[in-house]
Amino acid sequence: MNLPKKIISFMLVNCEIKSIWYIIFRILVWRDNLYLKIWNRKYNFRKFEYNVFSKGASDTLFILGNGTSIKQLDDKKWSIIKQHFSVGVNLWLLHDFIPDCYSVELSKDAPEGYLLTRSEILSSKLRNTSSVSFLLHPRGVHPDTFPIPKEFFGKTFIYRPCQSLSHSVKFPRYAIQRVIRWTCGHYEQDICFGDGASIERIISLAIKARKKKIILVGIDLNTSSSFYTNNNHYLAQLGGTLPDTAKQKTTLHKTADSSQKRITVLDTVPLLAIYAREHGVDVLVENPGSALAAELTVLDWSTLE
C-alpha cells in the first residue's frame, strides 16, 4: 500500500473509532431518560427547560462559585448580581446571599446524613421565599435522599450531563468540541455538556438558554480554599465540619488539578467559551486572579451598571 492510501486508511480507521465511541455515548445519554421519567413522577421533579433561567428582561446569568474571591464583593456588586439571574453552586447554600437557583448533586461518597443536613439548612434559609428553584444532577448512592427541602421538589429541575469521553481517548480536544456542539447546538433542552464539573454543566445550559452574558463569580480554581474555610459563621451551619475537609489541603481546586484528572475545567471551559462566542454569548470571569482569567475575558462591572 503506497503512502497516500496508508494515510487515507489511517484517517478512516480513526474516524470509525470516534464514531463507535460516540454511538455508545449517545445510547447511554438516552438511557438516562428512562430513570429520569420515573424520578419526575415519583418526586414531582421536572426536566430542565430554558425558561428556568428567565428573570425579567435580563440576558445575563451569574454562576456563583465557592472561591475566596467572593469575600471581595461589595454591596454595589451584590446589588447588580441581584438584578440578574444567578445560580449558586454546591455549598453556596451556606452563603447568606440567596440566588435565584441552587445547583446541587447527589454525592457518590457522601456520609450518612450529609445530604439531609444540606436540606435542613436550606429549609431554614428559604423559609420566607418560594421563588427559588433547584437544578439537580442525579447521581450517587442515595436515590431517596436529596439536599433539597421537600417543599421545593415541585421547583426542582433535572438535567442530563453528557461526558465527552476525553479522559479515555487519544483525541480529547476533538472529543470535547464535538460533544459541546452536540449538546449545546442540538438535543433536548435538559441535555448539557459536562465532564465532571458543575460549572461546565451550568455554562452549557445557559448557552442553550440563549443568555448573552455568562459571568463566573467565585470561580477561582487556583486554590482549594473557599469562602467558608475556617469561617465559623458558615461552618456552624454544618456542625463545624465538612465531609470534604481533606480536599481543602490540596493546592488547586480538584476540578482544575491535572494530577487528579486528565482533563480539567482549564481545558473544557475555554472550549465552551469559544463555542459560546461563535453563537453570540460571552463567558466572562469576575476574578482577575482566577486560573481561568488567562483564557476568558475579565468582567468590567461598569458594563452592567
Side-chain angles (χ1 to χ4, degrees):
M1 185 183 293
N2 57 36
L3 184 60
K5 287 184 178 180
K6 287 183 179 180
I7 293 174
I8 292 173
S9 177
F10 174 81
M11 292 174 63
L12 288 174
V13 168
N14 276 272
C15 287
E16 185 61 30
I17 291 173
K18 293 176 182 180
S19 298
I20 292 171
W21 270 113
Y22 287 105
I23 288 171
I24 296 171
F25 156 77
R26 293 171 77 172
I27 290 172
L28 293 176
V29 170
W30 293 115
R31 183 205 62 184
D32 288 348
N33 198 34
L34 298 177
Y35 74 80
L36 291 185
K37 286 182 177 178
I38 296 173
W39 272 21
N40 291 351
R41 292 195 191 103
K42 185 174 181 180
Y43 301 108
N44 198 30
F45 296 157
R46 290 184 277 172
K47 291 170 66 173
F48 174 82
E49 298 175 350
Y50 299 154
N51 60 14
V52 173
F53 285 168
S54 298
K55 187 171 185 177
S58 172
D59 58 5
T60 297
L61 182 141
F62 284 90
I63 300 176
L64 306 176
N66 299 166
T68 56
S69 63
I70 284 292
K71 295 186 287 188
Q72 307 305 316
L73 300 182
D74 56 27
D75 290 344
K76 184 178 181 180
K77 291 176 180 177
W78 283 119
S79 178
I80 292 174
I81 292 173
K82 197 168 184 178
Q83 295 172 27
H84 304 280
F85 196 91
S86 58
V87 180
V89 177
N90 297 332
L91 277 176
W92 187 265
L93 60 94
L94 296 177
H95 201 279
D96 297 329
F97 180 86
I98 297 177
D100 298 287
C101 180
Y102 287 97
S103 173
V104 297
E105 56 187 76
L106 304 182
S107 177
K108 292 180 178 178
D109 52 3
E112 185 177 355
Y114 183 45
L115 299 178
L116 185 59
T117 299
R118 294 185 179 204
S119 175
E120 291 171 347
I121 292 170
L122 285 166
S123 186
S124 175
K125 191 182 293 286
L126 304 177
R127 186 180 296 117
N128 298 318
T129 181
S130 60
S131 59
V132 172
S133 57
F134 286 82
L135 288 177
L136 176 62
H137 178 201
R139 67 169 188 171
V141 294
H142 300 281
D144 295 307
T145 305
F146 302 98
I148 302 170
K150 289 184 178 179
E151 57 267 32
F152 286 91
F153 277 11
K155 299 196 69 175
T156 296
F157 298 86
I158 296 179
Y159 57 86
R160 286 178 281 167
C162 304
Q163 293 186 334
S164 68
L165 305 178
S166 57
H167 304 278
S168 307
V169 297
K170 295 181 179 180
F171 41 89
R173 186 180 178 89
Y174 170 90
I176 295 166
Q177 290 174 317
R178 179 118 178 222
V179 177
I180 288 174
R181 288 199 301 271
W182 279 354
T183 54
C184 294
H186 306 288
Y187 282 153
E188 298 178 22
Q189 295 185 37
D190 65 312
I191 295 179
C192 64
F193 170 79
D195 258 355
S198 298
I199 59 170
E200 296 167 341
R201 302 189 290 268
I202 300 170
I203 290 172
S204 176
L205 291 171
I207 293 171
K208 296 183 70 165
R210 302 296 185 265
K211 293 296 179 180
K212 294 300 182 183
K213 284 191 176 77
I214 302 169
I215 302 171
L216 311 182
V217 181
I219 309 294
D220 302 339
L221 303 175
N222 47 20
T223 173
S224 61
S225 296
S226 304
F227 69 81
Y228 51 79
T229 302
N230 299 323
N231 187 316
N232 291 332
H233 170 69
Y234 295 118
L235 293 182
Q237 299 179 58
L238 285 174
T241 60
L242 290 170
D244 54 355
T245 300
K247 297 173 184 176
Q248 305 303 319
K249 298 178 182 179
T250 59
T251 304
L252 298 174
H253 189 274
K254 62 178 182 178
T255 61
D257 189 348
S258 59
S259 69
Q260 295 193 41
K261 52 190 300 187
R262 179 186 175 200
I263 303 299
T264 73
V265 292
L266 302 183
D267 302 302
T268 57
V269 171
L271 292 178
L272 275 164
I274 291 172
Y275 177 88
R277 197 177 307 120
E278 292 171 351
H279 293 79
V281 180
D282 289 323
V283 179
L284 311 169
V285 63
E286 189 277 333
N287 176 17
S290 167
L292 285 168
E295 298 288 344
L296 305 183
T297 302
V298 176
L299 173 67
D300 177 358
W301 282 96
S302 66
T303 62
L304 297 174
E305 296 178 356

